[in-house]
Amino acid sequence: AQKVTQVQTEISVVEKEDVTLDCVYETRDTTYYLFWYKQPPSGELVFLIRRNSFDEQNEISGRYSWNFQKSTSSFNFTITASQVVDSAVYFCALSGAVSGKSTFGDGTTLTVKP
Amino acid sequence: GAVVSQHPSWVICKSGTSVKIECRSLDFQATTMFWYRQFPKQSLMLMATSNEGSKATYEQGVEKDKFLINHASLTLSTLTVTSAHPEDSSFYICSARGLAGSGELFFGEGSRLTVL
């Protein structure tokens, strides 16, 4: 069975602050994929990153960075110098490479205040 | 990277009508596709798994006669919400997987259904 836990339900920060969204997962699969998605108020799911379980390199994309630590089963997401437009619900998801089935966390609602 | 496309992105329909949502893998063959549903302010939950050329497998509590899934080819799966009612209004998203172990596993952009 798979499980994804997004530690924070809601986070509120002031613009320009850094913020980290935590994601902890459980799986019996040896190969799996981890995802982060952003869902702005408009509703669509915006793909942010996909990470293979064999690739533990951290990744940076502009103000976004991800810290994947297999030893602690965590895949945390940091936004540096947050902006109001970052306000959204963020989902972490886990997909087994064999089954393909995905389990989503409950989401973290991020509010960035000006 | 690989792309999975859903169409339509938005659909509004009258109660009692049926609505079809398509999920296409654009540059790989999807042996398996998955359909998820998101209720307002909730997470996404798996509805069903479809394998090309065979009947879909539905998760517990999902009405298969209500949500018809057809995976007729290796690049297309369709979800038809039959006799839609306002409670079917939701966000539906698909994912497509290539051969197991191929690394091909991608999500569509999602489709928002509003039933009046």
Side-chain angles (χ1 to χ4, degrees):
Chain A
Q2 298 178 159
K3 185 177 180 181
V4 175
T5 301
Q6 291 187 241
V7 177
Q8 302 94 352
T9 303
E10 296 182 3
I11 300 177
S12 181
V13 298
V14 177
E15 206 170 19
K16 298 185 181 178
E17 286 185 18
D18 298 347
V19 58
T20 295
L21 285 62
D22 297 320
C23 175
V24 180
Y25 62 91
E26 296 176 25
T27 181
R28 294 179 181 174
D29 290 333
T30 54
T31 304
Y32 49 90
Y33 302 97
L34 293 163
F35 299 82
W36 274 97
Y37 280 87
K38 174 182 180 180
Q39 190 172 45
S42 50
E44 75 277 16
L45 270 183
V46 179
F47 169 79
L48 297 178
I49 190 170
R50 171 180 179 266
R51 178 49 50 101
N52 184 305
S53 57
F54 291 140
D55 182 2
E56 287 195 67
Q57 281 191 349
N58 292 328
E59 183 158 338
I60 298 175
S61 176
R63 296 185 297 108
Y64 296 167
S65 62
W66 291 270
N67 183 358
F68 175 30
Q69 295 206 344
K70 211 169 178 178
S71 60
T72 56
S73 297
S74 64
F75 186 44
N76 298 334
F77 171 37
T78 298
I79 301 174
T80 304
S82 60
Q83 301 175 1
V84 173
V85 293
D86 295 327
S87 297
V89 180
Y90 290 86
F91 289 98
C92 177
L94 165 70
S95 301
V98 175
S99 73
K101 290 184 178 183
S102 301
T103 301
F104 285 79
D106 289 336
T108 297
T109 300
L110 173 65
T111 302
V112 181
K113 298 178 181 177
Chain B
V3 177
V4 174
S5 177
Q6 278 185 243
H7 177 79
S9 301
W10 292 82
V11 57
I12 300 173
C13 70
K14 292 182 179 179
S15 186
T17 61
S18 294
V19 175
K20 181 183 287 186
I21 300 170
E22 295 185 346
C23 177
R24 292 181 184 273
S25 58
L26 298 185
D27 53 1
F28 69 99
Q29 292 186 326
T31 55
T32 306
M33 288 186 173
F34 304 89
W35 286 95
Y36 298 82
R37 179 177 182 176
Q38 183 187 31
F39 289 105
K41 299 191 183 299
Q42 293 188 27
S43 187
L44 293 91
M45 302 298 293
L46 179 65
M47 297 174 66
T49 302
S50 74
N51 292 296
E52 186 267 336
S54 61
K55 289 184 178 180
T57 303
Y58 290 80
E59 297 297 303
Q60 192 172 7
V62 178
E63 300 174 62
K64 55 184 175 183
D65 294 331
K66 174 75 169 175
F67 300 100
L68 301 179
I69 293 172
N70 185 2
H71 193 160
S73 76
L74 284 171
T75 59
L76 175 64
S77 176
T78 59
L79 167 67
T80 301
V81 183
T82 61
S83 186
H85 291 284
E87 58 265 29
D88 299 323
S89 298
S90 193
F91 184 72
Y92 296 89
I93 189 168
C94 70
S95 69
R97 193 197 71 176
L99 293 174
S102 65
E104 293 166 330
L105 175 62
F106 301 93
F107 283 87
E109 315 97 325
S111 300
R112 184 161 299 281
L113 169 63
T114 301
V115 184
L116 302 177

